[in-house]
Amino acid sequence: MKQLTKNQLKILAIVCMTLDHIGAAFFPQAVWLRVIGRLAFPLFAFCLGDGCQYTGNRTRYFLRIFLLGLACQIVFSAEELLHGSLQDSQALYLNILLTLSVAIGLCFAWLRLKEKPGPASAAIFTGGLILTLGADLLLRWLTGKTGILMQFDYGAAGAMLPLFAVFTREKYRQTALFSLGTVLFCLLRAGQDPMSLWALAALPVLWLYNGKPGKKWLQYPFYFFYPAHLAILYLIAQIRG
């Protein structure tokens, strides 16, 4: 059976994500598009966690995702507020790139603990986990109290999922641990979003990963696809009226 590079996993994740967003924007009755979309996040989370282990510049790796996510959030929030009040908008719903930024921070904290074991590293990693979980719980509580949607995409479970791809570099152990993490992620999410269970369908695909990154020149187009495809879908929606 043909094995897949990391770039090929990312391309598949992008296709699934795009179909999901097309379904949400234009064909809400087409549940199958949303089902396919559930495969995207585990694929992205795995690639992100694996990438954290091999990046040569951790600060740049984090800032690349965070700044892009922040820019997308500012544009999205401004557009939401222009068309309604805060109470009726999703302006404070934080996008997936910001969730992945938190995930990168947790992954780097774990890698620091492996490289420099000690109380300081343990405190940084443990503190990161507590802050992530605490922020998720606080935002959910505020949402319930105010009626204003204040959450980050996929919550603490989503931010912690990439960690399962950094615990080891050995390919089969890495995939096995990440598969376990994905099962836990789906079980935690199933109560509020039963469709999350379809994310388990990404696991057979991940077992085809050959441990190779693929062509390096494809790295940067991946980062800009997220805002670009959202902008295109938004323009189409505006044209359709």
Side-chain angles (χ1 to χ4, degrees):
M1 185 176 292
K2 178 179 173 59
Q3 291 193 311
L4 303 174
T5 66
K6 190 188 299 181
N7 279 344
Q8 289 170 327
L9 289 178
K10 290 179 182 178
I11 290 170
L12 180 59
I14 282 174
V15 171
C16 292
M17 176 186 69
T18 304
L19 290 174
D20 181 40
H21 291 168
I22 289 173
F26 306 116
F27 307 105
Q29 73 282 1
V31 178
W32 64 275
L33 289 172
R34 310 309 307 280
V35 167
I36 292 174
R38 302 284 71 74
L39 277 67
F41 184 71
L43 295 175
F44 280 128
F46 178 85
C47 291
L48 183 89
D50 189 64
C52 284
Q53 299 199 72
Y54 297 102
T55 182
N57 189 320
R58 292 179 180 176
T59 300
R60 186 169 60 190
Y61 191 85
F62 170 80
L63 288 177
R64 191 182 296 144
I65 300 293
F66 174 72
L67 293 177
L68 187 59
L70 183 61
C72 291
Q73 190 65 44
I74 291 171
V75 173
F76 171 76
S77 297
E79 193 278 333
E80 282 282 299
L81 292 176
L82 283 174
H83 291 84
S85 67
L86 184 62
Q87 190 77 31
D88 301 321
S89 76
Q90 297 186 40
L92 298 183
Y93 187 86
L94 305 182
N95 69 64
I96 188 61
L97 294 179
L98 296 179
T99 301
L100 294 178
S101 299
V102 175
I104 291 171
L106 293 175
C107 289
F108 287 161
W110 169 258
L111 290 172
R112 174 193 166 97
L113 181 59
K114 286 178 64 177
E115 296 159 0
K116 300 178 180 179
S121 295
I124 290 171
F125 178 65
T126 305
L129 291 176
I130 293 172
L131 284 173
T132 300
L133 182 58
D136 187 28
L137 293 173
L138 175 61
L139 289 174
R140 292 179 187 279
W141 181 79
L142 288 172
T143 296
K145 284 292 184 179
T146 64
I148 300 172
L149 184 61
M150 289 182 279
Q151 294 180 24
F152 53 99
D153 209 5
Y154 290 106
M160 293 179 185
L161 180 56
L163 276 171
F164 289 86
V166 300
F167 290 145
T168 178
R169 287 192 178 190
E170 199 282 316
K171 187 167 76 75
Y172 293 108
R173 290 180 183 175
Q174 181 190 42
T175 309
L177 282 171
F178 189 82
S179 297
L180 173 61
T182 303
V183 171
L184 295 174
F185 166 79
C186 290
L187 291 176
L188 287 171
R189 295 280 304 171
Q192 55 186 305
D193 180 18
M195 199 174 287
S196 295
L197 292 172
W198 285 103
L200 295 171
L203 296 183
V205 177
L206 286 173
W207 279 96
L208 297 177
Y209 176 48
N210 62 10
K212 298 178 181 178
K215 297 183 184 298
K216 191 172 183 178
W217 67 268
L218 280 171
Q219 176 182 358
Y220 294 102
F222 286 134
Y223 292 115
F224 295 103
F225 182 86
Y226 179 78
H229 93 283
L230 290 180
I232 291 170
L233 292 178
Y234 175 76
L235 289 174
I236 293 173
Q238 293 303 304
I239 292 170
R240 284 165 55 103

